[in-house]
């Protein structure tokens, strides 16, 4: 039963890097929120401030109403799972998990009980006597997760915990973590720069860029209705086309579509699956390459000024490299001044 | 199937066989040097102290020089002061160098760079200069006395020519190497494993005791054995700064050889010192082996 409030938190490093800039977020009880953003967008820095490993230069962080902004990590009710698992190699698995409980002066039999229960939870029952160096990467990450969970933290923090694992294992662990999180109803903040990870796990996604929030929404909303050109380009594949709106049309030398907004410059956004194509003799777009994936095809197109677009088509055999093409977008969104100003109903 | 495996294995063996002579040659040089410069003189010295020519000019087995050493009050006092100095220096080095190394490992910025330069500085100062600097500062009517005098305070009881003289000099002399070895050990302690410990609730002291110390115990051992071996057989600093009696084994040997002109006595003292160093060495090897076995 824990809620996390991050209120206008800012972090400026001594060198002058503004890693996190006036960032606010409320995480509800039992919610899993993913921080998603490109490298250097300040995700880790934000997470480390929640964990107490960095001091914010401005703003407040509260957990269940208690201000923890200036508490050291050892006095915060948070548990962190690091990217490089950070297990203590001179202790076996049991001791790794028991360490925090021992520091809390818990009686030995209770420690044993709890450690065994949490090992069971992460699917490593009976591994207590192993040295951590004798575990696979996935098992090590599970132990790291168990080490945080055994202390029953109010807030669980994970910083790209699967980044060093292979794709297959990553997907499995992702599901396991999601299951455990739902079973324990533990409030969780999860950092990743993999969008499929965020889309598949999160209750809500925070898209970050340059230390600022770009959008906070449910995964499907973030995908279907990106609020800024950055989010549009970052989540999934998106065609972004610069142009000018004149008299209710988005106009370029190479193509024109109706766009009922005020005149001025605009960025048009079209998903590949919403961009239909038709063969054409008019000068404009041309096919660069056709890729056949069996279930569908992907056509790469070049506009006259070199802008590369992608279109998902049902019958790739209808298209050939070099062929002239007419663009028939089914759903578009438009952005001006970094804000969404138009979205056609799907 | 089996043919394929054999084919795959054979080149490996061939390669190993071809590489072996080079490996042996590389090992042979230091081994030969050690036999020539260390083991042979040591055996020679041991031989000459236990096979002695008696009054009739006959070579015979004779432990009398050792009996003398271990029954002579003065020799035993010298041995005791050597062990005491070594022990006190080892403790002081740990107490001084661990905090310095920890500070250097975990803080960044200009101040820590200065501290590092200061800690490493004694390495570039020859012992003799170090000894004279010591005398000029802490000796009778040295800088400290002058400063105290200027503010009308009594003079210090100078450590010069007391057993504490060599202790201070030797500790200062050994700080750089000890700090460097400890720092190298601390380099293997990952930041994230320390942060993980703090995350589960360990304060600074608990992090040091439970996470850092176990990881650097080997480095502590290496640092201590280096300094212990060096200090036990040191000469210059005890000779220049220490009391005339009791004196450490280094100056004691030198005096026995040059002033008392008793080469067998000096050799006996050397063999005894050698024996202690071997004991330290064995202790070190055993601890390292046990740590690695864990
Ligand atoms: N200790 C530090 N000192 C100075 N600058 C830092 C420090 N840590 C991070 N930064 C800077 O802050 C910015 C944000 O870094 P951060 O590690 O939070 O990014 P991230 O979103 O986690 O990226 P990644 O996906 O690569 O992990 C970067 O520009 C980085 O260079
Ligand atoms: Mg990061």
């Amino acid at each position: 039963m824990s809620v996390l409030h991050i209120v206008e938190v800012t972090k400026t490093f001594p060198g002058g890097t503004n890693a996190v800039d006036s960032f606010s977020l409320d995480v509800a009880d039992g919610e899993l929120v993913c921080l998603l953003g490109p490298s250097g967008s300040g995700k880790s820095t934000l997470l480390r401030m929640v964990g107490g490993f960095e001091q914010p230069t401005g703003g407040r962080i509260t957990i269940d109403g208690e201000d923890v902004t200036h508490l050291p990590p050892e006095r915060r009710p948070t548990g962190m799972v690091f990217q490089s698992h950070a297990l203590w190699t001179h202790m076996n698995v049991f001791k790794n998990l028991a360490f925090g409980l021992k520091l809390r002066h818990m009686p030995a039999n209770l420690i044993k009980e709890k450690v065994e229960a949490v090992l069971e939870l992460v699917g490593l029952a009976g591994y207590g006597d192993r040295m951590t160096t004798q575990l696979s990467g996935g098992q090590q990450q599970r132990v790291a997760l168990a080490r945080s969970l055994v202390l029953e933290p109010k807030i669980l923090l994970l910083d790209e915990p699967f980044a060093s694992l292979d794709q297959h294992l990553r997907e499995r662990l992702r599901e396991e973590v999601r299951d455990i999180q739902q079973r324990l109803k533990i409030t969780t903040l999860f950092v990743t720069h993999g969008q499929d990870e965020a889309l598949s796990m999160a209750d809500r996604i925070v898209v970050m860029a340059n230390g600022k929030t770009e959008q906070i929404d449910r995964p499907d909303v973030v995908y279907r209705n990106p609020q800024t050109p950055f989010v549009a380009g970052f989540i999934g594949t998106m065609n972004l086309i610069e142009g000018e709106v004149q008299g209710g049309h988005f106009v370029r030398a190479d193509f024109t579509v109706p766009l009922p907004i005020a005149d001025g410059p605009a960025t048009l956004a079209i998903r590949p699956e919403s961009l239909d194509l038709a063969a054409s003799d008019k000068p404009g777009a041309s096919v660069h390459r056709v890729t056949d994936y069996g279930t569908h095809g992907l056509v790469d197109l070049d506009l006259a000024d070199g802008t590369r677009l992608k279109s998902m088509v049902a019958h790739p055999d209808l298209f050939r490299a070099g062929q002239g093409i007419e663009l028939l977008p089914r759903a578009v969104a438009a952005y001006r001044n970094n804000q969404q100003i138009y979205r056609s109903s799907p | 199937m089996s043919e394929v495996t054999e084919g795959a294995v054979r080149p490996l063996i061939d390669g190993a066989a071809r590489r072996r002579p080079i490996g042996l040659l590389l090992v042979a040089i230091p081994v030969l040097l050690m036999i020539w410069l260390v083991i042979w003189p040591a055996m020679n010295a041991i031989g000459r102290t236990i096979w002695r020519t008696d009054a009739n000019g006959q070579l015979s087995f004779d432990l009398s020089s050792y009996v003398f050493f271990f029954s002579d009050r003065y020799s035993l006092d010298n041995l005791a002061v050597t062990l005491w100095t070594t022990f006190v220096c080892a403790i002081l080095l740990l107490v001084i160098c661990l905090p310095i190394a920890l500070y250097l490992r975990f803080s960044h910025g200009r101040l820590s760079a200065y501290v590092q330069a200061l800690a490493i500085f004694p390495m570039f100062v020859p012992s003799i200069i170090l000894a004279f600097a010591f005398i000029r500062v802490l000796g009778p009517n040295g800088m400290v006395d002058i400063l105290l005098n200027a503010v009308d305070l009594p003079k210090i009881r100078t450590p010069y020519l007391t057993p504490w003289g060599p202790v201070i000099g030797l500790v200062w002399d050994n700080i750089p190497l000890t700090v460097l070895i400890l720092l190298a050990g601390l380099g293997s302690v990952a930041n994230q494993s320390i942060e993980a410990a703090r995350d589960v609730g360990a304060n600074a002291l608990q992090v040091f005791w439970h996470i850092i110390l176990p990881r650097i115990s080997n480095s502590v051992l290496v640092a201590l054995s280096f300094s212990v071996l060096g200090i036990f057989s040191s000469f210059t600093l005890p000779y220049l700064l220490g009391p005339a009696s009791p004196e450490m084994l280094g100056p004691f040997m030198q005096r026995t050889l040059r002033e008392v002109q008793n080469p067998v006595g000096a050799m006996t003292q050397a063999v005894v010192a050698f024996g202690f160093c071997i004991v330290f060495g064995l202790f070190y090897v055993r601890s390292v082996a046990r740590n690695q076995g864990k």
Side-chain angles (χ1 to χ4, degrees), chain A residues 48 53 73-74 79-80 82 84 88-90 99 103-104 147 151, chain B residues 192-193 195-203 206 210-211 214-215:
Chain A
R48 290 169 58 77
F53 300 106
E74 59 266 31
M80 180 115 156
F82 296 86
S84 67
W88 304 304
T89 47
H90 60 283
F99 184 58
L103 293 177
R104 286 163 178 70
R147 179 173 66 182
L151 299 171
Chain B
Q192 289 206 333
S193 77
E195 290 184 341
R198 298 194 63 195
D199 195 49
V200 302
N203 59 30
Q206 289 163 329
H210 294 288
I211 307 297
R215 288 300 309 263

Side-chain angles (χ1 to χ4, degrees), chain B residues 207-237:
Chain B
V207 167
F208 173 71
W209 189 253
H210 294 288
I211 307 297
I212 297 179
L213 207 52
R215 288 300 309 263
I216 62 164
S217 57
N218 258 353
S219 305
V220 171
L221 266 175
V222 173
L224 276 189
S225 14
F226 269 46
S227 48
V228 157
L229 291 178
I231 290 168
F232 189 84
S233 50
S234 59
F235 172 77
T236 314
L237 288 167

Side-chain angles (χ1 to χ4, degrees), chain A residues 266-285:
Chain A
T267 306
L268 192 70
I270 316 168
R271 290 271 182 220
E273 61 267 30
S274 304
L275 181 59
D276 287 344
L277 304 177
S280 157
D281 308 331
K282 281 182 276 176

Side-chain angles (χ1 to χ4, degrees), chain A residues 43-44 83 159-160 191:
Chain A
K43 310 178 295 287
S44 297
Q83 176 173 342
D159 191 354
E160 307 200 31
V191 164

Side-chain angles (χ1 to χ4, degrees), chain A residues 81-87 122 124 135-147 158-165 169 173 177:
Chain A
V81 179
F82 296 86
Q83 176 173 342
S84 67
H85 65 72
L87 295 175
V122 298
L124 287 177
L135 300 175
S136 72
Q139 290 168 333
Q140 288 175 333
Q141 234 10 309
R142 287 197 184 105
V143 174
L145 178 67
R147 179 173 66 182
L158 301 107
D159 191 354
E160 307 200 31
F162 314 135
S164 58
L165 307 177
L169 195 58
L173 272 179
V177 167

Side-chain angles (χ1 to χ4, degrees), chain A residues 190-245:
Chain A
F190 191 113
V191 164
T192 175
H193 60 232
Q195 41 168 304
D196 44 342
E197 204 152 279
L199 291 169
S200 66
M201 292 181 76
D203 292 313
R204 280 191 302 155
I205 293 179
V206 179
V207 183
M208 285 181 78
N210 300 321
K212 288 202 179 79
T213 311
E214 289 281 325
Q215 185 168 358
I216 306 182
D217 258 316
R218 290 207 322 270
D220 54 323
V221 178
V222 171
Y223 184 81
R224 239 178 279 130
N225 190 11
Q227 290 299 308
T228 67
F230 175 82
V231 179
F234 189 68
I235 308 278
T237 315
M238 182 71 94
N239 298 305
L240 292 171
I241 311 163
E242 301 294 333
E244 196 78 27
V245 178

